[in-house]
Amino acid sequence: MKKISTLITSIALAIGLSGCGQEQQASNAKANATQAQQTFKWKLVTSWPKNYPGLGTAPERFAQNVEAMSNGRLKIKVYGAGELVPGFEVFDTVSSGTAEMGHSAAYYWKGKIPAAQFFTAIPFGMNAQEVNGWLHHGGGMELWKELYAPYNLIPAAGGNTGVQMAGWFKKEVNSVEDLKGLKMRIPGLGGEVLEKLGGVPLSLTGGEIFTALQTGAIDATEWVGPYNDLAFGLNKAAEFYYYSGWHEPGANLEFLINKEAFASLPNDLQAIVTSAMRTANQDMLDEYTARNNTALDQLKNKHNVKLRKFSPEVMQALKAATMEVISEQARNDEAVAKVWRSYSEFLQQVKAYHQISEMEYYSNR
């Protein structure tokens, strides 16, 4: 009788546990179904004019892709610079959670994080293809996330303009002496290099450049390249268009995501956002590669822009000053030293390979 009683108790317990398990599974399924039906509305602030070619259209396409892939469960409204916040307040706006996302350039935040500017462009550094390799397969992304973590932010590559033009100048630059006292809109490390050679760097948002150049508030400006420069009509404000783009050999843009907002998304929407950012990153480079060609042709042959090349003397001085600026910053900032060590090691590796691959091919094409 005692064995029979024990057996009955065990069967009852098993039935009870089975029922609890089924209830838990049903509860989990219900929770997942509810989460799958939940919709989210985000704000994305940018440092660019609304729908500006390349820079401004990239976040718009990103938002459209996210909405389509999520079947409308995540809708992102994109704001141009000044619509919700000024262009230089994107970092703080996303950090605080006022907006869930942003699209900008990391060198705008060098006042907060000196090492951040290394994630936009380093003079005489890597091009777009090489930067993407470093970020996604060479350890760069981990360092970038580490830098932004204290600010409640997750960074991601948000597009690349490719090699930029050196800029627009009201007067010719024939020697290093011509850079002294030159007031130029040029942010990031490039601006610090210009300052090292006696120039006066200024940081202006895109929407401020034309007026500043036209009125003489600045003597020169770099912006992006033919596609964007033509859109801003910079050829109407300055006569000389210089190359090559020593200061931004591959300007990497950034997406910023509020960490808490991202954590609130279900796993599938997180994956969609991540995938859509990678798509936007490549798509922007593709667009600039296609559009700069026609725009340069128009600037030269329709608008009679005077295309000029910096002399070897000027380029050598800029390169020497670049090394001085980076060395000084690496000595004074541990984070800068850490990022620069990773960047420069990858640069040397990829440079050696590209010397016998990409560069050799270009010389023979």
Side-chain angles (χ1 to χ4, degrees):
M1 287 293 293
K2 187 174 182 180
K3 289 182 178 180
I4 293 174
S5 176
T6 301
L7 178 62
I8 292 172
T9 301
S10 298
I11 293 172
L13 181 61
I15 293 172
L17 289 173
S18 175
C20 289
Q22 290 174 355
E23 288 178 6
Q24 184 61 48
Q25 289 177 3
S27 176
N28 290 340
K30 185 177 180 180
N32 291 336
T34 300
Q35 194 175 43
Q37 294 172 356
Q38 189 176 1
T39 59
F40 299 83
K41 290 184 178 181
W42 279 14
K43 294 186 288 290
L44 189 159
V45 291
T46 79
S47 294
W48 331 115
K50 181 74 171 177
N51 285 315
Y52 187 71
L55 301 177
T57 54
E60 298 283 355
R61 290 173 187 158
F62 160 78
Q64 291 165 8
N65 285 339
V66 167
E67 183 170 350
M69 288 192 288
S70 69
N71 197 27
R73 289 166 54 214
L74 176 54
K75 295 182 179 181
I76 302 175
K77 184 173 181 179
V78 179
Y79 294 87
E83 287 191 320
L84 191 62
V85 295
F88 286 159
E89 292 185 16
V90 169
F91 187 98
D92 290 340
T93 300
V94 181
S95 176
S96 68
T98 302
E100 289 80 8
M101 285 194 72
H103 190 261
S104 190
Y107 59 17
Y108 291 149
W109 328 128
K110 70 176 186 178
K112 298 178 182 292
I113 315 171
Q117 57 190 330
F118 284 70
F119 291 94
T120 299
I122 295 180
F124 300 96
M126 291 190 276
N127 65 16
Q129 179 181 345
E130 294 163 342
V131 165
N132 280 330
W134 174 59
L135 287 176
H136 299 126
H137 296 283
M141 209 58 245
E142 289 76 8
L143 293 173
W144 201 1
K145 289 178 179 178
E146 183 181 310
L147 275 183
Y148 281 23
Y151 298 88
N152 198 35
L153 292 170
I154 302 170
N160 202 304
T161 66
V163 179
Q164 296 194 358
M165 294 290 284
W168 296 87
F169 295 76
K170 290 194 166 186
K171 295 180 180 179
E172 288 187 274
V173 178
N174 297 312
S175 68
V176 178
E177 286 296 314
D178 293 330
L179 297 176
K180 293 182 178 179
L182 185 79
K183 292 180 293 182
M184 183 176 183
R185 184 272 179 192
I186 178 170
L189 287 166
E192 295 176 51
V193 170
L194 177 68
E195 188 173 28
K196 176 74 71 175
L197 294 177
V200 182
L202 299 167
S203 193
L204 303 172
T205 60
E208 300 173 294
I209 294 175
F210 180 83
T211 301
L213 190 61
Q214 187 180 49
T215 60
I218 56 177
D219 307 310
T221 184
E222 67 79 42
W223 179 225
V224 180
Y227 181 39
N228 282 158
D229 296 359
L230 180 61
F232 264 167
L234 297 180
N235 55 290
K236 299 174 184 177
E239 187 176 3
F240 301 101
Y241 198 25
Y242 273 84
Y243 68 99
S244 71
W246 60 276
H247 62 305
E248 296 189 30
N252 177 63
L253 285 305
E254 68 176 1
F255 281 110
L256 296 164
I257 311 176
N258 179 275
K259 191 181 296 185
E260 293 168 359
F262 189 72
S264 72
L265 296 177
N267 291 339
D268 64 328
L269 290 187
Q270 289 184 357
I272 285 172
V273 169
T274 301
S275 178
M277 289 190 298
R278 280 295 285 269
T279 298
N281 184 54
Q282 184 62 49
D283 185 60
M284 183 189 287
L285 180 59
D286 297 345
E287 182 177 1
Y288 279 102
T289 301
R291 302 290 180 244
N292 275 327
N293 315 312
T294 304
L296 180 61
D297 182 69
Q298 289 182 32
L299 287 169
K300 289 194 303 181
N301 300 315
K302 182 179 178 180
H303 301 290
N304 299 314
V305 164
K306 296 179 179 179
L307 201 60
R308 296 287 188 271
K309 182 178 180 179
F310 278 145
S311 69
E313 175 204 353
V314 170
M315 293 300 284
Q316 289 167 11
L318 290 168
K319 189 171 184 178
T322 294
M323 293 302 104
E324 288 180 26
V325 167
I326 293 176
S327 296
E328 289 170 3
Q329 294 197 12
R331 284 196 300 268
N332 297 325
D333 190 297
E334 185 177 334
V336 168
K338 186 176 182 180
V339 173
W340 173 238
R341 185 163 52 249
S342 172
Y343 184 102
S344 58
E345 287 175 359
F346 191 90
L347 172 59
Q348 293 309 310
Q349 294 171 3
V350 77
K351 185 178 177 181
Y353 174 65
H354 277 175
Q355 190 69 43
I356 64 166
S357 57
E358 301 286 337
M359 293 182 69
E360 185 67 17
Y361 170 71
Y362 291 152
S363 67
N364 292 324
R365 185 163 61 178

